[in-house]
DNA sequence: ACGGTGCATTAACTTAGGTTAATTAAGGAT
DNA sequence: ATCCTTAATTAACCTAAGTTAATGCACCGT
């Protein structure tokens, strides 16, 4: 359990926050709504999705056990979240108002470093994704994902993965076929 | 002048940091090297670039007056920077060791909030870029850039912009031709 | 005026992803 | 066992980007 998880545990204990249960398909928070709570995933798997006016869906991220879900835009800047958070599997989740974390952080100034550190890690992950979109082909992104996140790879549909990689499910299927052809 | 710029000004005064002069083509920091200084651009324009082993170049960002350049990976995690910083125009720059900022922040705990805030803004910009790569076509990204950053658009070559958008200069030229055809 | 140099443009051809729709495969429910 | 649903695959066709190379254009220096 790292420093940030410790901080969250304290906030949860202090405020007696309950564990919530969701089932696959449930929505943790909606797109277009200001949601200033953070969601600590205790178990299960969720996706963050952009849904376009024309119905097209894009997957921003997959989050699983011990990940922290939420919308930076909402939580920090009080703007509507540009994406929704939807359960792929049944989930146990603890909802934490961001204000509680800020309050706790005021009373324990040394924890501001932990908050900063958390934000830095988040930024590092975004840097990686930015790099992949800019410099790698969809096929390379696919192969990288498979080796980097095998535990998530096993739990999502090919279609969901395609929408995360920025291509259509049909295109991902063709990539698979190409890779298969190389083996033979 | 916002809070973060104030913080930086204090660090600069305290340490009597000089203004450095670079000309177009000069390198502020190299790819593959640990560079734990931040570079405050007083005037001019720089680009952050990934250069691949095969010689292909990709532009991660353009930074201009009052922007802060540097590599998160290097500055925070002491890893080699995955990208270089190269001047597009002659620049006046102040180099600030990140350690100085941390020290200053220790002595002025209220400034940790400013640091956190800065990181949040940085993350917000990355979110926007992630969204654009995931959900927009190259043409849409081009049109968005033109209206969102006209002051930078005017100062870069079409080739550099193409490598920022994730396409080749030839492709961007064709997009222009398509847009032009629509007008007529 | 002349000959670079660097960009932007255009063309021809290749490759890969988008779109739509039909087909197959695999589970789940009754 | 049968039906229903969903996901994955395949095909056909269209569109756009990658690649390479030739051409055009404008600015610069001498």
């Amino acid at each position: 359990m790292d420093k940030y998880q410790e901080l969250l545990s304290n906030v949860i204990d202090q405020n007696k926050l309950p564990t919530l249960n969701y089932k696959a398909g449930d929505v943790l928070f909606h797109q277009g709504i200001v949601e200033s709570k953070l969601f600590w995933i205790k178990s299960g798997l969720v996706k963050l999705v952009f849904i376009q006016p024309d119905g097209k869906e894009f997957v921003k991220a997959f989050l699983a056990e011990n990940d922290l879900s939420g919308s930076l835009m909402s939580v920090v800047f009080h703007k509507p979240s540009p994406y929704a958070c939807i359960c792929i599997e049944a989930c146990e989740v603890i909802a934490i108002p961001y204000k509680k974390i800020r309050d706790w952080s005021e009373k324990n100034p040394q924890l501001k470093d932990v908050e900063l550190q958390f934000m830095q890690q988040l930024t590092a992950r975004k840097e990686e994704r930015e790099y992949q979109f800019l410099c790698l082909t969809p096929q390379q992104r696919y192969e990288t994902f498979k080796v980097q996140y095998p535990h998530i790879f096993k739990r999502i549909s090919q279609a969901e993965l395609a929408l995360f990689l920025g291509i259509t499910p049909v295109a991902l299927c063709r990539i698979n076929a190409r890779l298969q052809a190389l083996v033979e």
Side-chain angles (χ1 to χ4, degrees), chain A residues 3-126:
Chain A
K3 276 276 182 184
Y4 202 78
Q5 293 183 9
E6 219 171 276
L7 162 65
L8 291 179
S9 293
N10 287 335
V11 173
I12 290 161
D13 290 348
Q14 283 252 328
N15 295 281
K16 299 184 181 50
L17 298 174
T19 301
L20 307 172
N21 286 287
Y22 294 92
K23 56 182 193 303
D26 283 353
V27 178
L28 258 58
F29 56 87
H30 286 271
Q31 180 174 343
I33 302 281
V34 179
E35 172 54 79
S36 42
K37 288 201 274 295
L38 292 173
F39 296 84
W40 191 6
I41 318 284
K42 302 301 293 179
S43 72
L45 180 67
V46 304
K47 59 180 174 182
L48 304 181
V49 292
F50 298 102
I51 297 165
Q52 306 288 72
D54 63 5
K56 288 211 179 77
E57 179 182 320
F58 298 93
V59 176
K60 177 182 160 64
F62 298 105
L63 299 169
E65 300 79 34
N66 289 321
D67 282 330
L68 198 58
S69 178
S71 165
L72 180 88
M73 272 299 141
S74 265
V75 153
V76 174
F77 301 109
H78 313 292
K79 298 262 168 63
S81 170
Y83 46 85
C85 178
I86 300 177
C87 296
I88 295 177
E89 301 173 355
C91 293
E92 292 173 305
V93 174
I94 297 171
I96 310 164
Y98 185 60
K99 202 183 166 315
K100 301 277 186 200
I101 296 179
R102 299 260 69 206
D103 291 348
W104 185 254
S105 187
E106 284 307 317
K107 279 182 247 152
N108 306 261
Q110 79 279 12
L111 288 180
K112 281 187 186 167
D113 275 337
V114 180
E115 215 178 332
L116 180 60
Q117 210 183 313
F118 176 73
M119 190 59 72
Q120 287 168 345
Q121 278 168 18
L122 208 156
T123 307
R125 259 199 277 166
K126 280 181 197 301

